[in-house]
Structure formats: C-alpha cells, structure tokens
Amino acid sequence: MIGQSEVKWDARAKADGSFMYPSDLERPDMLHVRVLRANRPHARILAIDTAVAELAKGVVCVLTHKDIPGLNGFGFIAADQPVLCHDRVRYAGDAVALVAAESDEQAKAALDKIEITYLDLPSVLSPRAALEPDAPKIHASGNHCHKITLGFGDLHAAMRSSDVTARIFCVTGRQEHAYLEPEAGISFIDDRKRICVICGGQNPHADQRQLAEILAVPKDQVWVSHPPMGGAFGGKEDLNVQPFIALVTQRTGRPARMVYDRKESIAFSVKRHRFEIEVEVGATAAGRLTGFRADFLVDTGAYLTLGPAVLTLAAEHASGPYKFKASLIRGDVVHTNTSNASAFRGFGNPQAILGIEQAMDMLADKLDIDPIDFRCRNLLDKGDRAGAGHVMRSGVPLKALAQRASKSALLNSCEEEGRLKTATGLAFVWQGFGLGAGAEPGSTVRLTRDQDGNFTLDVSQPDLGEGNLTAFLQVAADTLGSALQDIRLENGSTDHANAWSTNASRSLAVTGSAVLNAAKAMKTRIASGENGLLEETGNFTPDMDEPLEIGLPHVGYAYGIQIVRVVLDEVTGEVSVKEVETYLDPGTVINPDGIEGQIEGGFAQGMGFALSEDLFLCEGRVRNDRFSSYILPTIRDVPSRIRTQFVSTPEPSNPLGARGVAEIGITPVAAAIANGLSRITGLRYERFPITPEQILEAEEIR
C-alpha cells in the first residue's frame, strides 16, 4: 500500500453529496446562534442593554460577558481574547453579545435590538504606529508583545568581506484562508450529560481544554469532535463557533447551531500575518555567501494568538537552506487594532522566503553566475550551522533536486510576443515539519484487532481535506498485510487517542509514525499466535534538541525547488503564470496523488498571496468582505501545466522516513513569481501582492 495512489477514504461520499460536513449538521429542537460584533476598531464599552432583544420574537436567550461561568478568554499562548467583551473592544470583529433563537432569521433580527453604548478610543492601525512612544495602548502591557534575536558570528566582519551585496525590503498582505466551508458547528448534551461540540477544527483536545475553562466544568464533561471539514489551512486552530454554541447549550439545555456567513468569515476570522521584511545578504566574487541580516516586523492584530510562534518559524527559515559566515536575525511582534492574525499554511515562511530568495537571485545576477549553481554552491550540510544558530542534524538533499531541475525546459525561457513578455523565475525552499523543539508533544494512536478479524484505527487527529487519514490507513494496511477496507476508522474526537493537532505539516511524519509503531507491534503479536481481540497503543515523539526558542529548531525539513513561467502584459500590468514545475524531496512517499494535490493546492494559494489577495481595511474595518471583491485565483488563473517531480530520500528523524509536505507547496510561490517578474521588468516590488497598479506605477516612475 505504501507508495500507491489510493483514493481517499471519504472521496466517494464527498463526490456524491452524501457526506455530512459540520455546516450540514442539524439536531431536533436546535437553536440558531448569532453573534453581535463590535464593528469598530477600538472603543470602551459603557453599557450593554439586551432588554428589547430578549423580548424579540423567537429569542430564547441573549448572552453577554456576565453569562460566562468560567474564564472569559481564549488563546493558545495566552487567553487574552475575550469570548464576549466586557470593558473594551480591540478590533472590529470582537464579539460583544450573542443571541440564540428558534430560527436563524430571528437571531439575526434580534442582534439589531441590542443596544451598546461605546466611547471610541484612538486606534493603532499599522505596526509602525504601534511602536511609537505615544501610541495608544491596546493592552495594559503595551503594543509590543514579542521579540526575537538569533544568529551567530561577527556579522560586520562578514559583510566587510563581501564583494557584492543585495538588500530587499518588502511588505506582505493579510491573506484570507478562503476555505470552501466557513466556520460551523453544533452543540448538544449527550446521554452522559456532557456538553458536546461538533465543528470544524484542528485539535479536539485543545478545544476541549479551552471550552472546559470557559464553561467552568471538568474536562471530561466536554466532548469535542472535528469531523472532516471543507478546509482549514490553519484558520480553524483558534476557537471560532465553539464557545458561543457551547454556552447556549449549557444555558438552555438545548442543541445549538452556528454557521458563519461568508461576509462574517472574511471580515472577522483570523488571517495571515502582515510582515515588514528587510534582508541584506553578502557574497564574495567567487560566489560564496558571507553575511546575512534579516529584520521582521509582524502585525498580529488585536490579540496574541500564535504571533510569537509565527515569528519564530519565520526567523528559523529566514536565511534559507544556505551556509553563512555570520548572521543576525531580529524580529518584533506588535498589536494593532486591525484584523486578528494567526496560523496560515506556511506559518510565516512564505513571508520570510521573499527576502532570501529574491536576494539570492540578485547576487547571482551581479556575479553573473547561474542562479541554481549559485544556490548549490552555498547549501547547508549535516553539521553546518544554519542562520538561526542551530546545527543541522541531517543533510540537505537539494543538490539532487537541482540536478533534475537544471534540465527543465522552462529555464532561460525569455520571450516577447507583442505586449506580452515571458520569463522564468525560481526559488529554493525548506520547510520545517512538526511543532518544533519544546513544542512538539508527539502522537498516540490505538490499533485494535476486532472479533471479526478486521482492525480499527483510533486517532483523534482530524482530516482537514488533505487526506492524512487515508495515508494512516495505507501505513497500517501495508504493515499488517491487510486490505484498506479491512481497517475501520474511529477519529476526530476527544474520546480517541490523543494524536494532537493537524497542523505544522506534522500529521504523516509524527502520527503516521505512531501508526507504524502500533501496526508493527500488532503484527508481532499476531505472528506469535495470539488470537481474539487485541489492542495496541502506538506512540511517537521525535527526538529533538534543546530549543533555541520554543518551536526552534525543527527536527527535520522538507526541501524543494519551484520553477515558474511568468507572463506580463505590459499594457495592463497583469501577471499570469503559464507553467509550474516543483521538484520535491518528500522522503518516503505514501500516496503520490496526495502529495501532488498538496503541491498544486498550495501553489494556487501562493499565487493569490503573490498577485491578488489582500484584505483591505479602512479605519480598521474590512471593506472587501466577499469573493467578488477579495480576489482569489480561479481555475482560469491557475496554470493547467503543473508538474511535480519527486527525488525521494528517507528522512532520518522518524521511522516512517517521511517529510511533511502540506505547506511546502505554498512557501516558494511568491518568491519564484517575483524573481520571474524581475527578469522581465528589472525591478523589485515592495508590496505583496504585486498588483497591476503597482507594476504600472513603477514603470511610470522609471
């Protein structure tokens, strides 16, 4: 089964429409929940009057902060985001009250009857403004919430030894996850008197802990299930509908349902972090890198969410998979009264790689060295010190990928056809998998041989659409020598073995290795003649170094090279991508089609990040909160010629030998497109996405 392209376990039900997504779920006698948002960036709450709303038709309850029995806060690093605000709102999406009614229309109508008296406060709408000494304080501790400084060696001496240098400054946008299914879920009380929540999420055990604190009940009185959903990409790690529906069920004893509409999802859900990036890189005339400096300013929005962790990963990857004499990497995370930011596929690396990969092209041009050859001369190897300061535990297999990529027909294609100009861009990429040193908890699964001789795989980890559960089944079936259909799945809830979260490209390498361990143990018991019901617990936690920072370094990395053929219309400024080739080392390949799907989907998201997607805010309020104005790449924009080639070497950090590849498809896209576009225009662009307006404006200035 390993290495074969198997159809996903849930594909048929999704294709024929019988699959039940969280947004499809209903229960008898359920209430419909709607939330009143602040719709202002920064204000003090002077009064909340719900009397009229409580008397509205169909309304069963109206809840405010006073109705929260436990902790009025949530968050991974710090519980600093209120479930329902009581004294202050810090961004337009802050929740102030909620309504539960017999119908969704009645709940919506009642929201308009809630009277909130605000005193507007000065807003902080940019990260630079947040750092001003006289800036309004968003939190009592101020606006600066995290700082990092990494590196090694004498940077000044290294830069003085340089014959050429390259400097990049750019600012990235706030990207929307744009999952097909918005945030959705239902809640109810089961026959064990537990408050139950079924919703789109990425870690049922983490949700259970936070909900128990909010509801002021023991953890075992809360049950959470994350069934397969219509996408997440990191955007469903944070709580969304969960606390609202759980509070209603706790208060009324009745089932509750909540589904964000698309406008609410775009305007008020978490986004990719906006980065300001400054990178300086030096090299000798012989084409050897000397010094590396990077400075990041990260806007995490009103609440901490995962801002420090995103900065840490960006800092770890900032210098690319390259060897330097010295480095200095600095970063700051700040609060603003803008959209909240949190996890998004790539987790800061798509932003970070924009600096180093553009600089590598600039240096190669100045030295008149082939850009692939220049990169290969400077690759890290086992035992080398990476830019962040950690020592590489294994080799970097990019030279083997480069040998294949250097034969690509796309290279050196530079054409002109009237107003259309074409060129090739490329980028090397590395992406750590797992949650990193000091943060990766490992995974536990259970494998049972049932009385009928078949097997049951029990794992809490949800499937967000990427097919991780299918890969687990393949690993188990291959090891046991059984057919896929002989293994039943029990997954996605807090009743199942704690495999922790579906994020950080960790599922296959970490949880897949736990499945492998369980299946090997089961196979041994069966071979020894044990009969009847058997159960095995499989565990795997990577052996990791002491952290430089929590989450840094990663136990291992996936590696790739991406080549894109870019076309610029000189009249309109429009940029399109006609062909893409990705050369990837995924380690042990479990399901080839699954990997290709990840790379192709990641590329589509990367195109949006590079060329069109950005949340537009005016005085802290989102203005492009629908798909007609938030511009996503469509099937017409994504090139039909997308090829992914594997050069696989086993990853030594896990028994499966696999590398996580869920994120690596998106990470190099913007840098590769920017490099291709620069070969046409000779310019570098400071704002991402690179819009036609920006291109035409730069041409006029030149």
Side-chain angles (χ1 to χ4, degrees), residues 227-495:
M229 64 212 71
F233 314 114
K236 293 174 182 174
E237 284 193 47
D238 297 83
L239 295 182
N240 45 79
V241 303
Q242 297 95 313
F244 304 132
I245 57 179
L247 284 165
V248 168
T249 291
Q250 184 185 47
R251 175 69 170 264
T252 66
R254 292 175 59 178
R257 178 179 189 264
M258 184 177 183
V259 180
Y260 283 17
D261 59 36
R262 185 60 66 181
K263 182 176 180 179
E264 183 176 21
S265 182
I266 294 178
F268 303 136
S269 66
V270 296
K271 301 291 176 281
R272 186 181 296 283
H273 288 81
R274 179 184 182 274
F275 268 56
E276 291 188 12
I277 302 153
E278 184 177 335
V279 164
E280 186 176 15
V281 187
T284 66
R288 298 294 179 181
L289 293 171
T290 54
F292 174 82
R293 176 185 63 84
D295 287 281
F296 297 132
L297 180 58
V298 181
D299 181 354
T300 198
Y303 301 104
L304 196 60
T305 60
L306 289 166
V310 169
L311 171 61
T312 298
L313 188 139
E316 177 183 356
H317 291 77
S319 57
Y322 307 115
K323 181 165 56 177
F324 292 90
K325 295 179 181 178
S327 64
L328 177 62
I329 302 166
R330 299 173 294 200
D332 296 276
V333 183
V334 297
H335 289 300
T336 63
N337 297 117
T338 61
S339 58
N340 225 18
S342 191
F344 197 137
R345 190 180 200 171
F347 210 73
N349 202 13
Q351 297 96 309
I353 202 174
L354 282 172
I356 182 62
E357 284 303 306
Q358 290 191 86
M360 292 297 281
D361 251 34
M362 292 169 68
L363 291 173
D365 284 346
K366 288 183 178 182
L367 294 169
D368 196 23
I369 300 175
D370 175 83
I372 291 180
D373 179 48
F374 177 61
R375 287 169 167 86
C376 286
R377 292 184 193 185
N378 292 284
L379 290 174
L380 290 164
D381 204 347
K382 182 178 180 179
D384 288 338
R385 190 173 297 279
H390 60 288
V391 175
M392 298 297 293
R393 298 176 54 168
S394 58
V396 174
L398 276 162
K399 285 186 180 178
L401 295 173
Q403 288 176 356
R404 185 80 64 87
S406 63
K407 300 174 184 176
S408 170
L410 294 184
L411 292 176
N412 302 318
S413 64
C414 193
E415 307 169 6
E416 291 188 31
E417 187 177 333
R419 57 198 268 181
L420 302 180
K421 289 190 174 181
T422 303
T424 296
L426 65 90
F428 280 30
V429 60
W430 65 338
Q431 183 85 43
F433 56 85
L435 292 172
E440 175 56 68
S443 292
T444 299
V445 304
R446 279 192 295 269
L447 183 65
T448 304
R449 187 176 73 175
D450 305 321
Q451 295 290 359
D452 60 7
N454 292 334
F455 301 92
T456 298
L457 178 61
D458 175 312
V459 54
S460 69
Q461 204 164 63
D463 188 329
L464 315 180
E466 75 275 46
N468 56 344
L469 295 179
T470 305
F472 299 160
L473 290 174
Q474 289 181 251
V475 171
D478 186 87
T479 307
L480 293 167
S482 70
L484 282 180
Q485 57 266 29
D486 293 338
I487 306 177
R488 288 184 282 264
L489 264 175
E490 295 286 345
N491 79 287
S493 87
T494 49
D495 280 349

